[in-house]
Amino acid sequence: MPGSQATHSQTVAVHGEAHNPALLHHFAEPQQQRDAASLGMWIFLATEVMFFGGLFCAYLIYRLKYFAEFSAASKTLALSLGATNTAVLICSSLTVVLAVYAAQHARRSMLLGNLILTIILGFVFLGIKAVEYNEKFEKHHVPGPSFQFSEVNVPGHPGQYANPSHAQIFFALYFVMTGLHALHMIIGIGIFVWLLVMAWKGRFTPEYNTPVEMGGLYWHFVDIVWIYLFPLLYLIDRHP
Amino acid sequence: MASENPQPERVNYLNKEYGVGSWLLTTDHKRIALLYLISITFFFFIGGFFALLIRLELLTPAGDLVQADTYNKLFTMHGMVMIFFFLIPSIPAVLGNFLVPMMIGAKDLAFPRINLLSWYLYIIGGVMMLHCMLTGGVDTGWTFYTPFSTAYTNTKIVEAGLAIFVAGFSSILTGLNFVVTIHRMRAPGMTWSRLPLFIWAHYATSIIQILGTPVVAITIVLVAVERTLHLGIFDPKLGGDPLLFQHLFWFYSHPAVYIMILPSMGIVSEIIACFSRKRIFGYSFVALSSIAIAVFGFLVWAHHMFVAGISVYAALIFSLLSYAVAVPSAVKVFNWTATLYKGSIHYDAPMLYAFGFLGLFTMGGLTGLFLAALGINVHVTDTYFVVAHFHYIMVGGAVMGYLGGMHFWWPKISGKLYPEGWARLAALIVFIGFNLTFFPQFILGYVGMPRRYYQYPPEFQVLNVLSTAGATILGVGYLLPMIYFLWSMRYGKPAPDNPWNAAGLEWKTASPPPTFNFDEEPVVTWEAYNYEELDAPHKEEVPVAG
Amino acid sequence: MSEHSSSPLKTYVTIWLTLLAGTALTVYASTVDLGHFNAAVALTIASCKALLVALFFMHIRGASEKLVKLVVIATVFFLLILLALSMADYATRAWS
């Protein structure tokens, strides 16, 4: 890992950078601060991967164990809404990367516009999710005392009913996984609102736009989680 | 041997600012380390108090001090407090926080405010845990296996789980901070191969904290959700698998034991080098073995589940991997021993603790191999053999290392010298007390005394009484350093910059250090553990910066 | 920061369209009966999409240092360990 040491030894002679107001006192120069922030955010995303990873492990084991119930339960999810949400997040990833580009190239209206679009798309995602959750609530598919999943056919096996307890495990994982994801989306929207305020005040320049980049990395991670959640939850068995 | 430096009262990190606010809102890694020192000592007492009650109950074969349910709570709280609020944070949050920036020549950690946040998260988690304990506690064992913890127990699982969840984030953020700091903040000339082994150890520890803790975090979430909504993820009656909980739990909790021991190993490397006046034998092997322990440590978790119902084929795989994970630890022990060979040994208190570590960690590690053997495992699972094994590592290993490190760096941290005579006595008392407490437990376990039981057949009483006697002696041994460290802050002799004439950047600045650690940024042009140069009389001065 | 001064914007839009196409593809693939391969296909497409986001949107591709790649690879490795070694238990229980 040679990079950082070479950078640093060159900085010993440079003190002019110290007047940069964004430079924190314990860093020798802005590039070091940027590199630290970037590495810090990537490591944080690593912890998030492991956090969701435990849920993916539980999902994997139960999908293999109760494939019939997982198929049946998955089919009750609204495919069109899930697919739309996937598209919404992909679009939001585009607006995020455009916002980062804009910050790096001092294009203020492009930056503000894309930040706003990202926030809007985030709300659209959550709105669609709310509709889905509501539908699940009405159908008594929310795990707990009021859960019902009686006499639902296993796809491809006419006459065989899904075991409600096993189906409840699917829905438990569905709600925990998408719920945790939605919580991360809400946090992400909060971060982007803060970025919008900072951008409005003109805090970001081509020299200093690290928060936009870091917020972007977080948002893309949340998108990647959904990229996996969508096929695993919605597309188990969509054979007509 | 000690370098003499008359110390006028200079501005240092302790006297720079006074007032509660300057401590509670500090971002100085050294002050944060002291905040942690006070907090983890507090929780050590709490955990120790529960241990005292356990050992008192076990003085007699009958369950006559507390009721069975209460006893369940005692060993649960002892475990939870000691593991999550003492052992896991202790060395990284106290000595790591204090020393990592100094050892690499930096002014602070990469993210000082996140460092302070880590401490507040630890305190919040600790307060939550205290509240949980005061309002009834938990009785599932620190391992809170399902479905007992999710469907049957009436105790405060969710609250305890959330307390650990919050403390876990403290651990994650500390690990994140260390990794970024070590990558990005090294002084010019401080290459990876010149890093003290303490840094390598903390780097490896941080990897585990980063990758492992989130998995136990999500496990706690699942337990809380299952318990609240009566789901069936872990409940066999509803189609769930209790072993899934154990897989997810131990995926973190086994690497967690390496979080607890690796920093201590780092300390031992520093102490042995200094008090043998020699470079650690096989530096690269010791450095890389830390990384190897971190990686291999993630591959062995199901050795805690050999009799739980996993498949025999999985058990075989995990048994083999568990043998493999012992190798890097053994590499370290061999290298430390080789360092001692033909070294100029000094028996100061830190070195006594290091010697204790060497013997006791070896015993703990070897008995780990016994446990990795499936046949033996079946015989001694859930007996006091296991309890003895892990206490040899955690107490004989980790705590010994921690105490050795506290003594070694106390002059740097406080600017005062502790009384050496008392310190050597305390080390001896700790060693004797420890062995008297835990060696009988190996025997007890082997002849069949189960763990987590508050009553036992009368023929086990003698060994139990010996163990309790040992625990009392051990307690005295722990109290002594607390007393004389506090005493030294007021009455101790002022410490020179480098009382041990030790290698390492932290010794090249004042004791106690200034707030930004070095007057001028150091430039490193020498190898680690350059004891030959340090001890060479009348030779040219080693180039020193700061 | 990326060294490609030749219109990163074009790259971004291309990747965006590819991701949308991948979504449509994975929905379509789920309606075809491939037996056990349905899951493999779905995960492969998802992984390709995730890789595109990581490489191009998260700028791993332009990163000069290997460290970020190492962090990502190490994380994925340990996640796979969690999944694979757990499966070593579940997949072989029936054998006993």
Side-chain angles (χ1 to χ4, degrees):
Chain A
M1 296 128 209
S4 56
Q5 172 227 329
T7 312
H8 205 140
S9 50
Q10 289 154 18
T11 72
V12 176
V14 176
H15 284 295
E17 302 265 30
H19 296 296
N20 181 342
L23 181 67
L24 297 169
H25 77 275
H26 54 288
F27 288 111
E29 49 138 35
Q31 184 63 38
Q32 187 191 26
Q33 183 171 326
R34 240 194 319 271
D35 288 342
S38 173
L39 180 59
M41 177 51 81
W42 275 106
I43 292 177
F44 174 70
L45 294 181
T47 70
E48 293 273 54
V49 168
M50 297 309 289
F51 193 52
F52 278 94
L55 292 174
F56 282 102
C57 182
Y59 170 90
L60 171 67
I61 283 158
Y62 284 125
R63 172 172 169 154
L64 291 173
K65 203 168 174 195
Y66 301 134
F67 186 75
E69 280 79 9
F70 269 49
S71 297
S74 166
K75 251 194 157 128
T76 70
L77 298 179
L79 174 58
S80 52
L81 292 181
T84 307
N85 257 350
T86 310
V88 165
L89 275 192
I90 288 172
C91 294
S92 75
S93 268
L94 177 65
T95 57
V96 162
V97 75
L98 291 176
V100 175
Y101 177 89
Q104 287 167 352
H105 292 84
R107 307 217 346 213
R108 180 184 163 85
S109 46
M110 183 181 176
L111 171 61
L112 293 174
N114 277 294
L115 288 176
I116 291 171
L117 271 177
T118 305
I119 293 168
I120 292 175
L121 288 169
F123 276 117
V124 169
F125 179 91
L126 290 175
I128 296 178
K129 208 87 220 91
V131 168
E132 285 186 272
Y133 278 8
N134 186 54
E135 191 221 352
K136 287 280 139 249
F137 178 74
E138 282 170 357
K139 283 201 201 157
H140 292 279
H141 287 166
V142 176
S146 57
F147 180 80
Q148 280 173 28
F149 202 77
S150 33
E151 296 181 3
V152 177
N153 272 307
V154 171
H157 294 87
Q160 185 186 337
Y161 288 149
N163 180 327
S165 294
H166 301 172
Q168 187 180 225
I169 292 180
F170 173 85
F171 284 107
L173 287 171
Y174 168 80
F175 276 103
V176 175
M177 292 170 100
T178 60
L180 192 62
H181 179 263
L183 176 63
H184 282 78
M185 280 294 304
I186 294 170
I187 293 170
I189 292 175
I191 291 174
F192 271 76
V193 167
W194 175 73
L195 287 176
L196 181 61
V197 170
M198 298 263 286
W200 183 265
K201 291 185 183 172
R203 294 280 164 82
F204 300 127
T205 64
E207 288 78 39
Y208 176 71
N209 49 64
T210 315
V212 185
E213 262 188 84
M214 299 302 110
L217 285 179
Y218 176 82
W219 192 276
H220 291 305
F221 165 76
V222 178
D223 183 19
I224 289 179
V225 172
W226 183 262
I227 284 174
Y228 279 99
L229 285 184
F230 173 61
L232 289 175
L233 293 172
Y234 289 79
L235 301 181
I236 296 182
D237 186 332
R238 291 283 170 181
H239 310 153
Chain B
M1 176 181 78
S3 57
E4 293 295 343
N5 258 330
Q7 296 289 314
E9 176 75 312
R10 289 162 38 167
V11 176
N12 57 56
Y13 79 101
L14 287 171
N15 63 22
K16 178 163 188 190
E17 263 185 296
Y18 292 108
V20 172
S22 74
W23 280 89
L24 293 182
L25 294 175
T26 184
T27 54
D28 178 359
H29 65 102
K30 299 181 291 299
R31 287 194 166 201
I32 294 175
L34 291 188
L35 290 175
Y36 267 112
L37 175 61
I38 297 168
S39 344
I40 61 139
T41 307
F42 172 75
F43 281 105
F44 180 67
F45 272 119
I46 305 253
F49 171 70
F50 287 123
L52 173 69
L53 292 176
I54 291 171
R55 289 294 350 145
L56 279 176
E57 169 63 78
L58 292 176
L59 271 176
T60 60
D64 44 14
L65 186 68
V66 296
Q67 293 173 333
D69 282 342
T70 310
Y71 189 79
N72 290 346
K73 292 182 183 180
L74 289 180
F75 64 71
T76 303
M77 307 308 335
H78 168 71
M80 282 188 175
V81 168
M82 283 304 204
I83 290 175
F84 293 111
F85 294 93
F86 174 65
L87 280 165
I88 286 179
S90 61
I91 299 174
V94 178
L95 291 171
N97 257 326
F98 197 96
L99 294 167
V100 166
M102 296 185 68
M103 284 182 169
I104 64 174
K107 286 183 184 164
D108 207 318
L109 290 176
F111 307 115
R113 290 169 292 190
I114 290 185
N115 198 14
L116 184 64
L117 175 66
S118 281
W119 182 71
Y120 275 107
L121 287 173
Y122 170 82
I123 292 298
I124 292 170
V127 168
M128 288 170 72
M129 185 56 91
L130 277 175
H131 179 261
C132 173
M133 292 190 297
L134 289 169
T135 55
V138 180
D139 66 350
T140 56
W142 80 274
T143 48
F144 54 104
Y145 277 8
T146 61
F148 180 56
S149 60
T150 48
Y152 296 100
T153 181
N154 292 325
T155 55
K156 318 196 81 177
I157 301 293
V158 175
E159 186 170 351
L162 287 178
I164 296 171
F165 185 92
V166 172
F169 268 98
S170 169
S171 184
I172 288 173
L173 291 177
T174 299
L176 187 155
N177 227 335
F178 283 179
V179 171
V180 178
T181 303
I182 295 169
H183 274 286
R184 299 291 190 219
M185 315 276 289
R186 285 170 287 127
M190 179 55 83
T191 59
W192 285 87
S193 61
R194 288 177 176 166
L195 286 170
L197 290 165
F198 181 93
I199 299 290
W200 278 100
H202 278 77
Y203 185 82
T205 306
S206 301
I207 294 176
I208 306 175
Q209 286 173 298
I210 288 164
L211 292 172
T213 318
V215 178
V216 79
I218 197 67
T219 311
I220 290 171
V221 168
L222 284 174
V223 166
V225 168
E226 167 130 340
R227 192 174 161 79
T228 326
L229 296 176
H230 309 289
L231 306 177
I233 305 178
F234 302 126
D235 189 349
K237 287 209 306 242
L238 296 170
D241 184 13
L243 259 60
L244 174 61
F245 169 85
Q246 293 186 28
H247 276 296
L248 293 175
F249 175 82
W250 286 114
F251 181 84
Y252 164 73
S253 299
H254 185 82
V257 316
Y258 297 110
I259 295 176
M260 298 186 246
I261 197 64
L262 272 169
S264 200
M265 291 172 159
I267 293 176
V268 167
S269 290
E270 300 302 317
I271 292 176
I272 288 189
C274 178
F275 294 98
S276 319
R277 311 307 300 169
K278 267 179 79 181
R279 180 178 167 84
I280 289 286
F281 186 90
Y283 171 96
S284 326
F285 277 93
V286 180
L288 292 175
S289 70
S290 296
I291 306 294
I293 289 173
V295 173
F296 275 90
F298 275 102
L299 306 181
V300 301
W301 75 84
H303 67 222
H304 299 270
M305 301 162 62
F306 282 155
V307 300
I310 61 173
S311 93
V312 153
Y313 303 97
L316 278 169
I317 296 172
F318 280 103
S319 173
L320 184 65
L321 289 168
S322 301
Y323 273 91
V325 80
V327 172
S329 292
V331 163
K332 285 185 192 274
V333 173
F334 290 138
N335 278 287
W336 289 321
T337 312
T339 309
L340 293 171
Y341 178 65
K342 291 204 173 165
S344 171
I345 313 280
H346 298 77
Y347 293 92
D348 297 84
M351 189 58 153
L352 294 181
Y353 282 109
F355 275 125
F357 179 102
L358 275 185
L360 300 177
F361 172 75
T362 301
M363 284 179 66
L366 288 175
T367 50
L369 286 173
F370 291 18
L371 289 164
L374 291 173
I376 298 183
N377 191 284
V378 170
H379 179 66
V380 296
T381 287
D382 279 341
T383 68
Y384 262 87
F385 191 90
V386 179
V387 175
H389 155 73
F390 63 70
H391 281 94
Y392 261 77
I393 311 247
M394 312 267 217
V395 185
V399 178
M400 286 283 213
Y402 174 66
L403 288 174
M406 285 305 300
H407 284 78
F408 186 53
W409 281 292
W410 185 254
K412 181 59 55 182
I413 294 171
S414 66
K416 295 292 168 70
L417 295 174
Y418 61 81
E420 181 65 34
W422 282 101
R424 293 189 196 189
L425 176 66
L428 200 57
I429 293 175
V430 165
F431 186 78
I432 292 171
F434 172 84
N435 280 295
L436 190 56
T437 310
F438 291 108
F439 194 82
Q441 294 185 8
F442 274 128
I443 304 172
L444 276 170
Y446 194 73
V447 298
M449 178 171 172
R451 63 187 286 200
R452 297 176 168 173
Y453 275 42
Y454 79 141
Q455 55 194 24
Y456 53 81
E459 54 264 32
F460 293 157
Q461 182 169 22
V462 173
L463 289 169
N464 270 295
V465 170
L466 285 175
S467 183
T468 301
T472 317
I473 297 170
L474 187 58
V476 170
Y478 287 145
L479 277 174
L480 282 174
M482 290 182 208
I483 296 172
Y484 61 66
F485 277 150
L486 280 172
W487 175 91
S488 77
M489 289 180 70
R490 186 80 191 269
Y491 302 108
K493 272 196 244 166
D497 289 358
N498 192 351
W500 313 114
N501 198 16
L505 280 177
E506 76 271 25
W507 299 108
K508 296 204 181 302
T509 187
S511 302
T515 299
F516 295 119
N517 297 337
F518 301 96
D519 293 323
E520 267 175 45
E521 185 184 53
V523 177
V524 180
T525 58
W526 57 92
E527 299 303 311
Y529 309 111
N530 55 335
Y531 282 101
E532 273 183 12
E533 289 169 2
L534 286 170
D535 284 348
H538 312 305
K539 287 224 178 127
E540 275 184 67
E541 276 277 68
V542 176
V544 164
Chain C
M1 249 157 290
S2 169
E3 272 84 26
H4 315 116
S5 52
S6 61
S7 194
L9 292 178
K10 245 200 230 156
T11 313
Y12 296 151
V13 173
T14 313
I15 299 295
W16 169 62
L17 291 170
T18 313
L19 290 170
L20 289 175
T23 308
L25 179 63
T26 199
V27 171
Y28 170 70
S30 72
T31 62
V32 178
D33 190 350
L34 300 166
H36 291 302
F37 282 107
N38 270 116
V41 166
L43 282 173
T44 307
I45 297 176
S47 297
C48 289
K49 289 163 75 180
L51 207 56
L52 288 175
V53 173
L55 287 176
F56 292 98
F57 283 176
M58 298 171 89
H59 301 118
I60 295 185
R61 193 147 191 277
S64 47
E65 229 188 337
K66 297 223 182 75
L67 184 54
V68 167
K69 296 175 193 169
L70 181 63
V71 169
V72 173
I73 292 172
T75 309
V76 171
F77 172 73
F78 284 105
L79 176 61
L80 291 177
I81 289 283
L82 170 62
L83 300 178
L85 285 180
S86 300
M87 282 315 301
D89 172 26
Y90 286 95
T92 59
R93 278 194 197 170
W95 296 2
S96 304

